[in-house]
């Protein structure tokens, strides 16, 4: 008998589910994942236990952001499939625990695949459309059916937006040059804003990625002006344009940015008036139906628009992207804005990162020859010739120059080191004495003093009874961010500690329940109230002392009774995930003392770049340079196949139509 045969014979239902139960107890696996495996075992009791193990691990990957389970990755690094805590000194847990490598000892990819295909609970991808199995095996990737369908739908919708370019009026070349004439150049570096705008003029799908302050909204506002001018001149009517973002806070910021950029445009009043300035959440745009995952707009009831701009696209998860693309009219343009290096969505998927990775745009030399000729004639940019082109890259533009973080910015230097995975450089930046950077011991009284000082302006305005609009504006002055949700350095511990510090100083009347000055964050969508996950508000008292929770809303303030907010948490401190789409003048960023799998390069980069003017890193006592270096070196890799699907299809498209027709 082969070694694989011995291992598979030893893995029984009893030993597997005993092991899964212990993994749940240790927090390595979710109870949901174990129950899913039991569910499949009850329906196909004759299946190989490897099927149930794969089912539990595939379910667990969704909670960690992965769309699927990569069997080859698990076989190569078995512990990567679980949420194992770091093992001190590389040792083993104290308990007698069966580790995943023991269960998979001797198992090959071919053997595991054979076990899965033998079960009627698993369908092969080529046959999955006509079945209803809970699991789908696509190559060496195992999916829960719902996510296989969502990924297939996203890839299909995006694929149909690739291909033949749209017509661009010759007169727009001159207008393009005029709108970007003020952009200062650095040597021979291309004007990537101009390149991005020129690309988007002639296609139905454009991805514009760039870090904070690189001018994404400025670029897209100029693009909207050019497209509206073309439409008004050619058709006598304006395009129907909508603006959207994943969260209410991100939508509010997009509205502010677009309104500011429109005010600076050198265009006619007719064109200026045709550019929308109010954004909304994706849930509101699509028409979320309460208590369901369905929307009012879908393939049979598409959105009424000609062009959609989605900001903070890195936060859009796979299922939301599938719903959005399904509701898009086939001839409408879609522009995705975001930062591919930020944290991906909380839910499963990393669509923006997948698209940018698949396009291979890191060096800016991934455009096809026809696209390069077009960019030279339209934007005046002579880009270098690439050794190998990829049609998907024709739809991606990377903005590289930051107008916010200059050479003397410590925040900018720290962000570049984190983004580049340079742990030693990251630590060195902290030691160089930049004026906009500071560190403090989170366990010392200095932490409480820093927090009270940071929130002082806000609470002075609350005490003075200023109008709610001006008070809400002060919320963007200071914010505490943290990496973890639980523990003394997580959201729960820090919120309690901050409330105690503010109470001792007399700024708040109590530390629990509802009180004037309590900042809250909505944690679930509530279409009836017009509030969505991530919306940030502040509890204020009216002249009669009655409490209302105030949220920014368009040009005004939306007031909600505290009793109506069933899903809201205190937000003196918030996780970096929840802060996406927001910016604050001063950020106090709390990091744990020990290395933690959650603390990654993307999380640190995202937390750092929430700060516009000042950043304070609060390090737990015992937190050392090694922890920081390890965190910066630890990169998130989410398993999905969108990039692979599009690259494969794009190459096929390129072989079919190699002429690369130009406008």
């Amino acid at each position: 008998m082969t070694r694989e045969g011995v291992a598979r014979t030893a893995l029984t239902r009893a030993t597997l589910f005993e092991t899964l139960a212990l993994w749940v107890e240790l927090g390595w696996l979710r109870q949901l994942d174990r129950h899913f495996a039991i569910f499949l075992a009850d329906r196909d009791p004759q299946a190989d236990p490897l099927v149930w193990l794969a089912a539990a691990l595939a379910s667990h990957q969704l909670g960690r952001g992965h769309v699927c389970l990569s069997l080859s990755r698990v076989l190569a690094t078995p512990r990567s499939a679980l949420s194992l805590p770091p093992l001190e000194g590389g040792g083993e847990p104290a308990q007698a625990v069966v580790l995943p490598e023991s269960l998979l000892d001797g198992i090959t990819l071919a053997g595991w695949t054979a076990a899965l295909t033998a079960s009627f609970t698993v369908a092969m991808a080529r046959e999955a459309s006509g079945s209803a199995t809970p699991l789908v095996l696509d190559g060496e990737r195992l999916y829960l059916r719902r996510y296989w369908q969502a990924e297939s739908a996203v890839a299909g919708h995006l694929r149909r937006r690739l291909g033949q370019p749209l017509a661009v009026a010759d007169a727009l070349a001159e207008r393009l040059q005029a709108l970007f004439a003020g952009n200062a150049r650095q040597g021979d570096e291309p004007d990537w804003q101009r390149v991005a705008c020129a690309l988007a003029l002639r296609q139905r799908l454009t991805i514009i990625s760039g870090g904070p302050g690189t001018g994404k909204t400025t670029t897209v506002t100029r693009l909207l002006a050019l497209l509206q001018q073309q439409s008004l001149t050619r058709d006598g009517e304006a395009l129907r344009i909508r603006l959207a973002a994943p969260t209410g806070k991100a939508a509010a910021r997009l509205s502010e940015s677009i309104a500011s950029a429109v005010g600076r445009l050198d265009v006619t009043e007719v064109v200026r008036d045709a550019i929308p300035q109010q954004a909304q959440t994706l849930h509101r745009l699509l028409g979320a139906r309460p208590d369901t995952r369905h929307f009012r707009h879908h393939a049979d009831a598409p959105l009424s628009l000609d062009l959609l701009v989605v900001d903070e696209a890195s936060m859009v998860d796979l299922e939301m992207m599938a719903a959005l693309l399904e509701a898009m009219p086939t001839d409408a343009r879609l522009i995705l804005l975001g930062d591919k290096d930020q944290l991906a969505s909380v839910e499963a998927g990393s669509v923006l990162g997948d698209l940018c990775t698949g396009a291979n745009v890191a060096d800016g030399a991934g455009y096809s020859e026809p696209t390069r000729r077009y960019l030279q004639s339209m934007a005046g940019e002579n880009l270098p010739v690439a050794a190998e082109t990829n049609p998907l890259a024709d739809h991606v533009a990377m903005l590289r120059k930051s107008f916010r973080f200059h050479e003397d910015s410590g925040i900018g230097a720290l962000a570049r080191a984190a983004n580049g995975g340079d742990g030693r450089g990251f630590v060195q930046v902290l030691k160089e004495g930049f004026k906009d950077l500071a560190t403090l011991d989170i366990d010392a009284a200095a932490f409480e003093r820093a927090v009270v000082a940071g929130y002082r302006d806000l609470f002075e305005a609350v005490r003075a009874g200023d109008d709610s609009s001006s008070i809400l504006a002060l919320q963007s002055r200071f914010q505490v961010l943290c990496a973890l949700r639980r523990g003394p350095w997580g959201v729960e511990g820090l919120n309690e500690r901050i409330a105690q510090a503010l109470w001792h100083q007399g700024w708040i009347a109590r530390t629990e329940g509802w009180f004037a000055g309590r900042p809250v964050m909505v944690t679930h969508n509530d279409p009836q109230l017009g509030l969505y996950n991530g919306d940030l508000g502040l509890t204020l008292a009216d002249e009669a002392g009655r409490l209302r929770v105030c949220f920014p809303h368009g040009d005004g303030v939306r007031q909600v009774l505290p009793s109506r907010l069933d899903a809201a948490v205190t937000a003196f401190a918030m996780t970096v995930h929840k802060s996406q789409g927001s910016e604050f003048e001063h950020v106090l960023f709390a990091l744990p003392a020990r290395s933690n799998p959650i603390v990654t390069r993307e999380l640190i980069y995202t937390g750092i770049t929430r700060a516009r003017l000042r950043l304070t890193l609060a390090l737990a006592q015992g937190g050392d340079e090694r922890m920081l270096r390890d965190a910066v070196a630890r990169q998130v890799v989410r398993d999905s196949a969108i990039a692979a699907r599009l690259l494969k299809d794009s190459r096929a498209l390129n072989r079919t139509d190699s002429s690369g027709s130009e406008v």
Side-chain angles (χ1 to χ4, degrees), residues 38-55:
I38 293 173
F39 169 81
L40 293 188
D42 289 344
R43 274 139 190 84
D44 187 10
Q46 302 305 315
D48 191 310
L50 282 173
V51 175
W52 310 327
L53 173 62

Side-chain angles (χ1 to χ4, degrees), residues 36 39-40 120-122 132-136 143-146:
F36 179 59
F39 169 81
L40 293 188
F120 63 76
T121 63
V122 183
T133 60
L135 294 172
V136 175
Y143 293 80
L144 270 67
R145 169 171 291 275
R146 185 171 123 202

Side-chain angles (χ1 to χ4, degrees), residues 62 85 277-278 352 376 397 411 512 535 542 577 627:
L62 295 175
Q277 300 182 26
Q278 287 298 318
L352 185 74
Q376 185 172 22
I411 298 174
E512 297 180 348
D535 285 355
D542 61 18
H577 272 99
M627 182 275 292

